[in-house]
Amino acid sequence: MRIIFLLISLVLLTGFAVPPKDSEVLVFTKTAGYRHKSITVGVETLKELGAENDFNITHTENAELFNYKTLKRFDLVIFLNTTGDVLDSEQEQAFEKYINKGGSFMGVHAATDTEFEWPWFNKLVGAYFLDHPDKSTAIIKRIIRSHPSTAHLPNQWKHYDEWYNFKSINKSTNVLLMLDETSYKGGKNGAFHPIAWYHEFDGGRSFYTGLGHTIESYNDQKFRKHLLGGIFYCLNR
């Protein structure tokens, strides 16, 4: 109590506010299937964005961190190109509790290729990976302009990446970006092919982007700002 009193007194006497605490973000990259070569550059990109925007990145592939005592230290958990069954049942329960208590989740690309036997996660991430054609350039249509992850983007964005087809799509999400399947070959979702979305779910916030397969995409300023906007949404900034 004395320390708090001294801090308040210092603020009143000097006129200087105590600087806000940086947000804490856990980046999880465990894989139990295909492993993306872009994981390393993806983690470095998030660290760079954090250093520039006042959030700290903790990177792990250790699923044992998924206990509530540890998770509650973080304002956001990012699944960056995770694949397969990466959490056991107790870790799943801890993560559900984390979201129930107001935690936030962000999935990048292969996060939808994760935990196929966990229906709750399907709703949280927003869809499951079905398959994909060869990497190509496609037109992405901006659906929502006001979101921090899309405000900087053109209404039609030509971008090169690996384009996922999805199954078990959660129609309750807010679609930010939609793929134009007439602009490339191999799309299977038709006129409704979301590729980035957000929603509030089960007590917390969730953001997903299907972009982020290639190493080169993490040097694309539009994509980097897209990632940063997703993080800002999850941190409620």
Side-chain angles (χ1 to χ4, degrees):
M1 289 296 295
R2 184 177 180 183
I3 293 174
I4 295 173
F5 176 77
L6 289 173
L7 287 172
I8 294 173
S9 299
L10 180 62
V11 171
L12 293 174
L13 289 171
T14 63
F16 292 107
V18 177
K21 178 181 176 292
D22 287 356
S23 300
E24 298 295 332
V25 178
L26 181 65
V27 178
F28 188 51
T29 58
K30 182 178 178 181
T31 55
Y34 181 83
R35 186 167 183 86
H36 284 75
K37 294 179 181 178
S38 60
I39 285 176
T40 299
V41 68
V43 171
E44 291 306 310
T45 296
L46 293 172
K47 287 180 177 179
E48 290 169 6
L49 293 174
E52 296 165 359
N53 295 278
D54 302 320
F55 56 87
N56 300 315
I57 294 293
T58 298
H59 171 224
T60 189
E61 299 204 348
N62 181 8
E64 292 182 3
L65 269 62
F66 280 73
N67 60 82
Y68 184 66
K69 183 178 179 180
T70 300
L71 289 174
K72 69 180 182 180
R73 294 169 27 209
F74 295 96
D75 303 290
L76 167 62
V77 175
I78 299 177
F79 278 36
L80 174 64
N81 279 326
T82 52
T83 54
D85 187 2
V86 291
L87 300 177
D88 65 25
S89 59
E90 290 186 3
Q91 292 158 356
E92 291 173 0
Q93 290 175 11
F95 190 52
E96 287 189 28
K97 182 177 179 180
Y98 166 78
I99 295 296
N100 295 159
K101 295 289 187 178
S104 287
F105 166 82
M106 176 168 165
V108 179
H109 193 56
T112 48
D113 190 21
T114 305
E115 296 292 346
F116 285 95
E117 303 302 321
W118 186 11
W120 180 89
F121 183 77
N122 179 205
K123 295 295 185 182
L124 174 72
V125 70
Y128 275 144
F129 164 77
L130 175 62
D131 58 21
H132 63 79
D134 292 338
K135 296 184 292 294
S136 64
T137 298
I139 293 176
I140 305 170
K141 296 181 179 180
R142 182 172 64 167
I143 305 302
I144 297 177
R145 302 180 181 185
S146 58
H147 197 270
S149 69
T150 58
H152 66 288
L153 294 175
N155 288 331
Q156 293 196 345
W157 177 24
K158 287 186 178 181
H159 186 72
Y160 179 85
D161 214 318
E162 179 182 82
W163 306 114
Y164 277 5
N165 295 309
F166 297 108
K167 62 182 180 180
S168 303
I169 297 173
N170 182 354
K171 298 294 181 66
S172 297
T173 64
N174 305 293
V175 176
L176 292 160
L177 300 173
M178 196 88 73
L179 275 179
D180 180 355
E181 288 197 356
T182 67
S183 68
Y184 73 104
K185 295 181 180 180
K188 294 183 179 179
N189 289 114
F192 184 74
H193 193 150
I195 200 64
W197 54 78
Y198 74 98
H199 63 142
E200 293 186 6
F201 175 76
D202 213 13
R205 290 186 169 206
S206 173
F207 172 90
Y208 172 78
T209 180
L211 286 69
H213 171 86
T214 69
I215 291 173
E216 294 78 12
S217 62
Y218 292 89
N219 294 318
D220 184 321
Q221 289 302 314
K222 287 188 177 69
F223 177 59
R224 288 169 70 99
K225 288 182 180 179
H226 176 60
L227 285 177
L228 182 61
I231 292 170
F232 281 172
Y233 164 73
C234 291
L235 295 178
N236 198 20
R237 290 193 183 178

